Amino acid sequence: MTMAILLYYGSGSPYAWRVQLALEHKALPYERKLLSFAETDSYFDKATDPIVEEAFSRKPEERDAARLAAGLEGLEAEYAMFTRALRGDFLAGPLSAADFALYPLVAFIDRCAIKLPDLDPKGLLTPELAAWKARIEALPYFDKTYPPHWKR
């Protein structure tokens, strides 16, 4: 007897998204249960916290330009590190959990650009990381996992 998988998730959560990508990749049947984060996007990796916080937790007139610049500098360093880590088309060679873990975090920076109009997420990516991101987005099940409220 197969036990049904129930995925509790917050739409747009990078952590839940990586699980959903893996479930789709493995073609495992599952049901989703949406949780609310009270209309906020306040979760992300420590390296990008300044960007996320300036985008979603501060009014435009209250943003700290120096803190945002430092966050962008840190993000560029992270992207450079992941570019060096690429082992072929994907992070570990073949498509793996490493790709599913990183992709939502990279994609979340696109979400930040909604609140930070001067942010150029694509311009921050190295050419290699941009190509990797496009390969993830070309997966046949990718659209099933894309957060619905990001499709606006």
Side-chain angles (χ1 to χ4, degrees):
M1 180 173 167
T2 304
M3 182 179 265
I5 297 171
L6 183 58
L7 173 63
Y8 290 89
Y9 74 105
S11 186
S13 165
Y15 309 105
W17 196 355
R18 69 175 71 161
V19 172
Q20 192 175 4
L21 281 164
L23 289 169
E24 290 291 337
H25 176 69
K26 297 275 189 184
L28 295 172
Y30 65 98
E31 293 180 36
R32 298 184 304 167
K33 172 116 173 94
L34 180 63
L35 303 173
S36 172
F37 289 118
E39 301 299 319
T40 63
D41 290 310
S42 61
Y43 40 82
F44 205 58
D45 187 38
K46 292 281 185 203
T48 55
D49 278 351
I51 299 166
V52 174
E53 289 173 10
E54 293 299 319
F56 294 104
S57 299
R58 299 187 193 276
K59 296 176 183 175
E61 63 274 9
E62 296 173 353
R63 291 191 180 128
D64 182 337
R67 185 168 187 257
L68 185 56
L72 291 170
E73 186 177 312
L75 180 61
E76 287 178 328
E78 289 288 310
Y79 283 174
M81 183 204 54
F82 281 112
T83 297
R84 290 188 303 275
L86 285 169
R87 300 289 178 255
D89 285 344
F90 298 101
L91 287 171
L95 183 64
S96 71
D99 301 290
F100 298 152
L102 180 61
Y103 177 83
L105 299 174
V106 172
F108 197 79
I109 295 299
D110 295 343
R111 183 78 174 159
C112 291
I114 293 169
K115 299 282 187 169
L116 301 169
D118 294 335
L119 180 65
D120 178 16
K122 291 179 183 173
L124 293 168
L125 293 171
T126 64
E128 298 86 354
L129 211 52
W132 166 84
K133 185 174 182 268
R135 284 189 289 277
I136 297 292
E137 292 167 352
L139 294 171
Y141 45 81
F142 176 81
D143 288 341
K144 286 183 182 179
T145 72
Y146 198 80
H149 74 287
W150 288 16
K151 292 180 183 180
R152 295 181 189 145

